Amino acid sequence: MCGIVGCIGINDPVKYLIEGLKELEYRGYDSSGIAVMDEEDLKIIKAVGKLKNLEEKVKKIKFKNPFSGIGHTRWATHGKPTELNAHPHKGHFSAVVHNGIIENYQEIKNKLLKEGIEFISQTDTEVIVKLFEYYYEGDAFKAFKRVLDEIDGAYAILLITKKEPKKIFFAKKGSPLIVAKNDKEIFFASSDAPLIGYANSAHYLEDGEFGWVDDEIHLFNDEKEIIPAFKPLPSNKESAKKGGFRFYMEKEIYEQFDVLKENTLGRNTKDGIKFDELDKEFFDDINNIIISACGTSYHAGLVGKYLIERNAKIRVDVEVASELRYRDPLLSKDTLFVVISQSGETADTLETLKMAKKAGLKTLALCNVDNSSIVREADRTILLRAGIEKGVASTKAFATQVMTLWMLANYLGDKNEYDAINEAIEVTKVDTSIHEKIKRLSKRYLHGHGFFFIGRDIFYPLALEGALKLKEISYIHAEGYPAGEMKHGPIALADPELFVVALLSKNILFEKTKSNIEELVARDATTLTISSEYIEMTDDFIKISEVNHPMVEFFEMMIITQLLAMEVAIRMGNDVDMPRNLAKSVTVE
Ligand code: AGP
C-alpha cells in the first residue's frame, strides 16, 4: 500500500515526484517524502499527513538544476506515522525509499549499532541505506548488491547516493515496481498511474530483478544482465481522474455499467461462456474448489460458492486468506485453488496462493491488475478488466469479481445465461432518481447505534459487502447477517436506533426473508427494505426492477447499497476515497 516514484534525466524531477505521488494517494498513506539530487546536494523533504503538507515544504526549497529524485507515500507498518519514520530514509550521503517489509531488519540493525552506526527511525527501511553506506567502498552497485544479498523479506527499493549522483539503484522482490521510459527520460513507479503522461513503455519488474539506471536501464537477474521487456502503458490518464464526480468512488459506481460490459466482452456470448485465458482441460480431474481472498474479494467469493455449486455442481469452500494461511489446511491435488484480488498484491491472499502451488494444486487468479504479484504467481488468470480502481472502498472491482464468478460457474457447468447476464449489466446503469432518493434518505441513518444488513442465499454475501462498504467509509458500525439468523441473538439489539437494511429478493426465499423483516419491525427496529415488492411495515423502501433472475436483483441491490454507504459517509464529512486507517492494497499481513 505504500507508493513509490522515481525519475532521472528529467528537467523537472520535483514535478514528476509530486504529481506521481498524488496518483498514488488512493493506496492510502499517512506520510510522504521526496529526495532530490541537484548540482549542490541531495535534498530530502518529508511530511506527515496529506501530500499537500509535503508540497508546502517543497515550495520553500531552492533546487539548483535538479536532475533526479525518488519519492514515497508511507502506510505505517514498523513505527508510528511520524516525519522521522517517513521515507526517504537517509544516511550520510544516500537516500532510500522502500515498500514491503525487511523481515531480518532487527538483526541487521543490531549488527550496525554494534559498529557504532546510529539510527533515527523505528522503521525497517532505514537499515537498507545504513547497510549500503556500511558496505560502500567506492563501488555503489557492489555495495547495493551486498545489501540485497543480506536483507530478507519483501521489497521494492529505490536508492540514490551522492557518491554516484547520476544513477538510481533499484530492486524488486515481493512488492510491485515498474521502470518506464520515453525517448530520453527514465521513470519508476509502484503502479501504472503516475507513469501515464510521462513514459510510453514500461518494464514490470519480476521478483529478484535489480540494477541501476543512468541514461540507460541496466537490469539484472541473479548475476547476469538481462534486457527489459517493455510493454506499452495505458495512454488515457483521464480515465483515472474523477470525471466530474465528487469522488473516485462515485465515478467508479457509475462506471460499473461500462466496466461490466468490458468484463463480459468476448466471454458472455450467445453460444455460452468463453474464456480465452482458459482451456477446459485445465479443469480435468478437478472435484472441488477452494476460493481464498480478503475483504470485499472474500464476499465476492462467497457469492461464487452459491453460483458454482448451483450451476456447475462442484463443491466450493470459501476461505479468509489470513485464516487459511496459518491453518495448515488439507490440500488435495483434485482441488482447484482460486484467489480473488483487485490489487493482486494482498499479502495474505498471495501467500495462500504460494502455499497451494507448493502443494501442487492448480491455481486460478481473478485479478484486476495485470503483471501484479498474484497474476504472475497463478497458473491461470482471468483479468477483471475493471480499470484503475482509485477509491479505497472497492465497488467496480467487486462487481466484476461477482460477474466473473457467475461466468465461471456457467463455463464450468456449460450453462448459457446470456440474456440474464446482459439484463444484470443493464440494471447497473445508475438511476439518478434513485440516487437522489438515497441522498435524501441518508440523513435519517447518521446517528443510530449500528446497522444490520440482512439477506438470504446470494443476498447474504451482499449483506456482508453492504455492511463493509458502510462501515469502512462512514465509520458507523455495521454487520452483515443471514436474515434467518437474527432471531438467534442479534434481535436482542432491536430498537428504533438499530437500523436494518433488508435485501428482499422476490426470486429467492421471499416469504422467509419477509417474515424476518416482520420479526424486527415488531420489535421496533428501523428498517429500510430494498425489493421489487413493497411491504407495508417497512420504515423506508427502495424499489428495484421486477425481474425473474436473482442475479439481476443482486446487481441492482449492489448499486443501492454502494450509493447508500457513500451518501451516509458524505453527510458525515468523511474522505470517501481515502478512509482513515485504510489502504487500497494491504501488502503486509
Ligand atoms: C474493500 O472495500 C476493501 N478495500 C478491502 O476489504 C479489500 O477488498 C481487501 O483488502 C482485499 O483487497 P484485494 O481485492 O486487492 O486483494
Side-chain angles (χ1 to χ4, degrees):
M1 80 304 302
C2 301
I4 286 180
V5 289
C7 58
I8 192 164
I10 176 169
N11 59 19
D12 189 353
V14 177
K15 178 171 178 286
Y16 169 70
L17 295 176
I18 296 294
E19 279 188 12
L21 291 179
K22 282 180 180 170
E23 287 302 329
L24 295 172
E25 279 194 285
Y26 70 91
R27 298 168 71 106
Y29 68 102
D30 44 53
S31 58
S32 61
I34 62 172
V36 178
M37 194 72 82
D38 71 7
E39 280 175 1
E40 275 173 341
D41 201 352
L42 173 58
K43 295 167 181 168
I44 296 173
I45 310 101
K46 308 199 274 189
V48 176
K50 297 295 181 196
L51 267 178
K52 62 179 185 304
N53 302 341
L54 178 67
E55 276 189 283
E56 287 310 309
K57 296 180 88 170
V58 168
K59 279 181 195 146
K60 297 175 185 139
I61 305 294
K62 290 246 175 299
F63 296 101
K64 192 165 179 237
N65 299 326
F67 52 85
S68 71
I70 56 178
H72 188 268
T73 48
R74 177 174 184 257
W75 188 66
T77 51
H78 288 85
K80 289 273 175 243
T82 63
E83 192 166 316
L84 270 185
N85 286 336
H87 301 206
H89 285 285
K90 65 183 173 59
H92 295 296
F93 48 82
S94 316
V96 69
V97 294
H98 158 240
N99 186 13
I101 289 186
I102 307 300
E103 293 187 347
N104 60 336
Y105 86 96
Q106 200 55 63
E107 174 195 323
I108 295 171
K109 188 168 181 174
N110 295 341
K111 178 184 93 171
L112 295 175
L113 285 166
K114 284 197 188 106
E115 298 284 336
I117 291 167
E118 291 176 3
F119 286 81
I120 57 170
S121 83
Q122 304 160 304
T123 67
D124 55 333
T125 302
E126 192 180 359
V127 300
I128 298 171
V129 67
K130 297 294 172 72
L131 196 60
F132 170 78
E133 296 194 350
Y134 175 71
Y135 284 136
Y136 180 76
E137 296 168 338
D139 179 332
F141 189 47
K142 190 172 168 212
F144 187 63
K145 284 193 290 184
R146 288 189 70 179
V147 171
L148 300 183
D149 291 341
E150 190 160 334
I151 59 177
D152 294 332
Y155 50 78
I157 295 171
L158 295 181
L159 183 143
I160 51 179
T161 176
K162 290 196 291 189
K163 297 296 184 185
E164 296 182 27
K166 300 279 187 178
K167 290 177 182 173
I168 296 179
F169 298 89
F170 63 90
K172 190 262 184 220
K173 179 175 170 255
S175 292
L177 188 63
I178 305 167
V179 58
K181 65 183 175 75
N182 58 32
D183 53 8
K184 61 181 186 329
E185 300 159 329
I186 294 175
F187 303 89
F188 289 94
S190 44
S191 71
D192 284 337
L195 301 165
I196 299 171
Y198 281 90
N200 43 43
S201 62
H203 171 74
Y204 295 83
L205 291 166
E206 295 287 351
D207 283 356
E209 290 183 353
F210 62 98
W212 83 87
V213 293
D214 39 28
D215 48 12
E216 286 177 13
I217 298 170
H218 309 273
L219 179 66
F220 297 80
N221 200 344
D222 297 326
E223 278 310 309
K224 60 182 183 302
E225 188 156 5
I226 56 176
I227 309 298
F230 282 105
K231 300 181 178 180
L233 270 165
S235 56
N236 174 14
K237 190 166 189 169
E238 277 324 298
S239 70
K241 293 295 179 194
K242 294 179 191 171
F245 290 97
R246 293 168 290 176
F247 295 99
Y248 286 122
M249 182 180 179
E250 186 175 36
K251 167 184 162 288
E252 288 154 7
I253 291 171
Y254 272 74
E255 70 185 15
Q256 287 178 127
F257 170 70
D258 290 324
V259 156
L260 286 168
K261 283 197 302 183
E262 182 68 30
N263 168 267
T264 55
L265 188 68
R267 293 169 170 171
N268 180 41
T269 76
K270 286 192 169 41
D271 305 322
I273 300 297
K274 292 186 171 53
F275 282 115
D276 295 342
E277 303 89 335
L278 304 177
D279 47 75
K280 289 276 185 174
E281 294 65 50
F282 179 66
F283 299 92
D284 285 353
D285 314 323
I286 294 296
N287 295 315
N288 63 84
I289 293 173
I290 290 177
I291 296 176
S292 170
C294 301
T296 285
S297 300
Y298 168 71
H299 298 153
L302 290 172
V303 182
K305 174 183 173 69
Y306 288 96
L307 299 174
I308 294 169
E309 289 191 345
R310 201 164 278 159
N311 295 358
K313 306 300 177 214
I314 300 173
R315 203 192 79 226
V316 178
D317 293 302
V318 187
E319 300 277 357
V320 171
S322 56
E323 284 300 303
L324 179 68
R325 184 176 174 188
Y326 296 104
R327 209 186 60 218
D328 197 11
L330 303 175
L331 297 174
S332 56
K333 289 210 168 60
D334 66 345
T335 298
L336 172 65
F337 196 87
V338 177
V339 289
I340 304 174
S341 175
Q342 187 288 127
S343 63
E345 300 300 343
T346 300
D348 288 320
T349 308
L350 176 60
E351 288 310 313
T352 60
L353 174 58
K354 289 178 180 173
M355 185 171 72
K357 281 194 75 175
K358 200 162 162 225
L361 276 66
K362 287 180 182 176
T363 59
L364 170 65
L366 273 56
C367 185
N368 193 36
V369 181
D370 201 357
N371 307 312
S372 62
S373 304
I374 282 178
V375 166
R376 291 206 300 277
E377 188 70 29
D379 297 319
R380 298 286 194 287
T381 291
I382 303 175
L383 289 177
L384 301 174
R385 303 177 184 167
I388 290 178
E389 185 175 71
K390 310 252 313 177
V392 168
S394 186
T395 50
K396 61 178 183 173
F398 173 73
T400 53
Q401 288 166 351
V402 172
M403 183 58 82
T404 303
L405 286 161
W406 185 8
M407 290 193 286
L408 181 62
N410 290 0
Y411 176 83
L412 295 172
D414 285 328
K415 189 178 170 99
N416 187 338
E417 293 186 287
Y418 175 73
D419 293 332
I421 287 174
N422 287 330
E423 197 183 351
I425 294 172
E426 274 308 308
V427 299
T428 62
K429 259 185 209 155
V430 177
D431 174 341
T432 49
S433 64
I434 293 283
H435 190 177
E436 280 311 308
K437 173 168 184 171
I438 292 168
K439 269 184 193 163
R440 290 195 309 279
L441 201 62
S442 60
K443 61 175 167 293
R444 297 183 192 163
Y445 293 96
L446 305 179
H447 308 298
H449 60 66
F451 280 79
F452 272 94
F453 285 68
I454 63 171
R456 285 176 178 257
D457 200 275
I458 54 172
F459 300 94
Y460 164 48
L462 185 57
L464 291 171
E465 175 57 15
L468 176 62
K469 280 296 93 49
L470 183 76
K471 64 185 155 202
E472 68 177 325
I473 59 176
S474 73
Y475 316 146
I476 300 173
H477 182 68
E479 274 187 77
Y481 231 83
E485 270 294 288
M486 290 303 287
K487 53 187 169 299
H488 299 284
I491 203 161
L493 292 171
D495 65 26
E497 291 301 294
L498 176 75
F499 301 141
V500 175
V501 178
L503 308 180
L504 178 58
S505 161
K506 193 74 180 78
N507 292 292
I508 291 187
L509 299 168
F510 174 78
E511 293 305 333
K512 296 278 183 200
T513 312
K514 187 174 172 223
S515 63
N516 297 143
I517 299 170
E518 282 161 346
E519 288 156 13
L520 284 153
V521 169
R523 290 159 180 82
D524 215 12
T526 300
T527 53
L528 162 58
T529 301
I530 304 172
S531 184
S532 60
E533 181 157 323
Y534 180 73
I535 52 171
E536 269 307 316
M537 80 295 274
T538 188
D539 299 286
D540 283 313
F541 178 75
I542 296 177
K543 183 172 172 41
I544 62 169
S545 317
E546 293 174 33
V547 293
N548 301 321
H549 198 296
M551 282 305 291
V552 180
E553 293 180 299
F554 180 99
F555 278 96
E556 193 164 353
M557 289 188 191
M558 174 195 76
I559 296 284
I560 292 167
T561 55
Q562 291 168 343
L563 291 172
L564 177 66
M566 184 182 72
E567 293 304 338
V568 170
I570 290 171
R571 282 186 182 274
M572 307 292 278
N574 294 349
D575 185 338
V576 167
D577 286 331
M578 289 182 283
R580 69 184 183 197
N581 306 337
L582 295 186
K584 182 61 186 169
S585 171
V586 184
T587 55
V588 292
E589 54 184 273

